[in-house]
Amino acid sequence: LDSLQALVFARDPFAHFSNSTCYIPSWIGDLDDFQAGWVYYLQTCYDSAAVQWARVLQKKPGLVGLRIERAKALHFGNANGLALQELQTALDTLRGRDAKKLRHFYESKEWLEYKIGLIQLEEENYAAARDAFGRALAENLSFYQAHARIGDVAMLQHDPAAALAEYDQAVQLYGDDPVLRDNYGVALLRSGQAHYADAEAQFRKAVELAPDYANPYFNLAVALADEGRKEDAIVQFREFVRRAPRRYAGMIESANKNIAALQSVAAG
């Protein structure tokens, strides 16, 4: 479970596993602001956690770790503007420390820039998101997640050539991420018929890496259907339906319709 959790956080540092209903225990008043903030946070009372931690940070502004946690609480509470301010303050604090004192170990800032980029991406501020991911790469050129997210931004900005370049770089840095492989395949598929074979290869690699991950089966089926391989496409659509979670109701319906249409064409 720890390994799975680490994998999730490596892909999305804002992922969290908790109840969906805020619960305030009766003994919360016995705790100091720092402890109460953590109780509120773990009970998904994010607004209250942010208030408690603001009081702590007012007295001790140098607590960078707590400032980052407050940014997460603000983000979960849909206060993205304030979350960005906290992350930027955390960055400024760390960079100020680097400038004042020679340190034996440089504390890289790529994850903070990455979080800023994710929030900007959520806010559809694509230029700001791309800049943040670029700064993350300036901190760590091997940070494949930043390349992948720049690829996502490029796709949203309808720039498939840039997306392909970024996804390819990300895959070269770390090729064992099935979500990355699937996204790369989608970018290839949208880039035209000349890239269909490469798209199929990416989807098949995603399936190999994570056999229970449903999305690549659907996308592989689309690629095969576009190549005219109807029977193979039907097989992959069925594999998708077998694995798809219930929240994928729309995609499941689409897969079943595609199966029916492909069977009708084959029969005709």
Side-chain angles (χ1 to χ4, degrees):
L1 288 176
D2 288 343
S3 298
L4 288 173
Q5 188 178 56
L7 180 62
V8 169
F9 286 138
R11 185 172 293 124
D12 180 6
F14 288 117
H16 58 299
F17 309 92
S18 57
N19 298 325
S20 58
T21 302
C22 173
Y23 167 74
I24 302 175
S26 59
W27 41 265
I28 193 77
D30 298 331
L31 304 177
D32 61 31
D33 291 331
F34 179 83
Q35 294 172 324
W38 274 112
V39 173
Y40 280 126
Y41 182 84
L42 294 173
Q43 297 298 333
T44 69
C45 308
Y46 298 122
D47 293 342
S48 297
V51 169
Q52 297 292 139
W53 286 338
R55 294 172 184 162
V56 178
L57 290 167
Q58 188 174 16
K59 299 175 183 176
K60 299 180 179 180
L63 295 177
V64 172
L66 184 63
R67 195 173 293 280
I68 295 169
E69 293 300 330
R70 183 171 189 264
K72 290 168 65 176
L74 289 164
H75 173 59
F76 296 148
N78 298 314
N80 282 342
L82 293 174
L84 287 170
Q85 289 179 25
E86 286 288 28
L87 291 172
Q88 189 60 56
T89 300
L91 271 171
D92 293 342
T93 300
L94 291 174
R95 286 173 177 151
R97 292 175 183 174
D98 290 339
K100 288 180 180 179
K101 183 179 179 181
L102 179 63
R103 297 177 179 273
H104 294 291
F105 299 99
Y106 177 70
E107 189 172 2
S108 185
K109 319 298 186 299
E110 71 261 27
W111 279 105
L112 284 172
E113 294 287 11
Y114 186 64
K115 289 174 182 177
I116 289 173
L118 290 176
I119 293 177
Q120 296 287 15
L121 185 58
E122 184 178 302
E123 292 291 303
E124 299 183 0
N125 296 326
Y126 298 138
R130 191 165 189 157
D131 287 345
F133 296 137
R135 292 193 299 271
L137 284 173
E139 290 282 335
N140 180 1
L141 289 174
S142 66
F143 191 43
Y144 85 91
Q145 294 96 326
H147 280 293
R149 296 294 81 76
I150 293 174
D152 294 345
V153 172
M155 288 295 292
L156 291 168
Q157 294 181 314
H158 309 290
D159 188 354
L164 293 183
E166 294 295 337
Y167 287 137
D168 182 66
Q169 184 66 48
V171 165
Q172 289 184 46
L173 289 167
Y174 185 75
D176 291 340
D177 186 330
V179 176
L180 170 60
R181 292 282 188 172
D182 187 48
N183 289 344
Y184 188 14
V186 170
L188 287 162
L189 196 60
R190 291 178 180 175
S191 296
Q193 189 171 1
H195 297 281
Y196 284 178
D198 291 333
E200 179 185 344
Q202 293 300 323
F203 296 137
R204 290 194 183 279
K205 184 62 178 179
V207 166
E208 176 188 330
L209 290 168
D212 293 326
Y213 178 36
N215 289 39
Y217 291 94
F218 185 96
N219 293 324
L220 175 57
V222 171
L224 293 169
D226 287 345
E227 291 182 278
R229 296 159 61 184
K230 299 179 181 60
E231 294 298 328
D232 291 339
I234 290 171
V235 170
Q236 297 304 325
F237 275 127
R238 285 174 173 161
E239 292 297 324
F240 166 78
V241 172
R242 283 179 54 200
R243 293 166 173 81
R246 285 178 292 179
R247 68 178 183 276
Y248 282 22
M251 289 181 70
I252 293 171
E253 180 181 0
S254 177
N256 286 325
K257 286 182 178 179
N258 281 319
I259 290 170
L262 288 167
Q263 287 176 329
S264 177
V265 171

